[in-house]
């Protein structure tokens, strides 16, 4: 005769805790949960500029994302570093093309858009 399956009390408590944690975690997100996504929406209209800098003997590649309509809104992200300038320039070119939303590079920002005052 087969015995009925039973969990020991420790395993039952562990299963209940797991189900309760899953029930609490699986719920519809609020507007505040999506705030970081909405705050970065301006990155859609950005021009990507590659930046090379020689720091302590290595060439660092950074990408600068500049908003097309408001050039004073930008972020700079360090990407990689290389021992030679030629390799760093090549990586900057490919990373810029990869990161740009417009692969043709038609989104551009000029210095005149900054409206700098000589005062």
């Amino acid at each position: 005769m087969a015995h009925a399956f039973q969990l020991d009390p420790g395993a039952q408590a562990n299963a209940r805790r797991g189900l309760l944690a899953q029930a609490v975690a699986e719920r519809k997100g609020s507007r505040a949960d999506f705030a970081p996504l909405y705050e970065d929406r301006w990155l859609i209209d950005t021009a990507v500029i590659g930046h090379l800098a020689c720091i302590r003997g290595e060439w660092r590649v950074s990408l600068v994302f500049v908003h097309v309509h408001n050039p004073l809104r930008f972020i700079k992200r360090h990407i990689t570093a290389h021992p030679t300038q030629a390799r760093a320039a090549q990586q900057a070119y490919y990373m810029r093309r990869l990161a740009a939303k417009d692969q043709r590079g038609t989104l551009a920002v000029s210095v005149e858009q900054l409206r700098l005052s000589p005062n």
Side-chain angles (χ1 to χ4, degrees):
M1 181 169 195
H3 295 285
F5 177 78
Q6 290 185 347
L7 284 176
D8 67 280
Q12 272 185 334
N14 192 18
R16 279 194 193 116
R17 278 194 304 272
L19 288 173
L20 181 61
Q22 187 68 23
V24 171
E26 295 290 328
R27 61 181 176 189
K28 186 176 179 182
S30 67
R31 193 85 154 143
D33 294 333
F34 293 100
L37 297 175
Y38 290 123
E39 290 169 3
D40 288 343
R41 187 170 279 181
W42 67 273
L43 287 170
I44 293 171
D45 295 328
T46 56
V48 182
I49 302 166
H51 180 256
L52 297 177
C54 185
I55 300 174
R56 288 188 232 127
E58 71 177 3
W59 289 89
R60 295 191 181 180
V61 177
S62 300
L63 292 180
V64 182
F65 298 87
V66 183
H67 193 259
V68 175
H69 305 295
N70 181 9
L72 294 176
R73 188 173 197 179
F74 64 91
I75 57 173
K76 181 179 176 182
R77 295 287 183 247
H78 170 72
I79 303 300
T80 186
H82 294 282
T84 64
Q85 183 180 9
R87 179 76 172 143
Q90 180 186 37
Q91 285 296 313
Y93 173 75
Y94 287 123
M95 290 296 173
R96 186 199 63 77
R97 293 271 318 262
L98 185 66
K101 301 294 183 218
D102 184 11
Q103 294 291 321
R104 297 166 295 176
T106 56
L107 292 177
V109 177
S110 66
V111 176
E112 289 79 28
Q113 287 179 303
L114 294 175
R115 296 184 205 99
L116 298 175
S117 173
N119 292 339

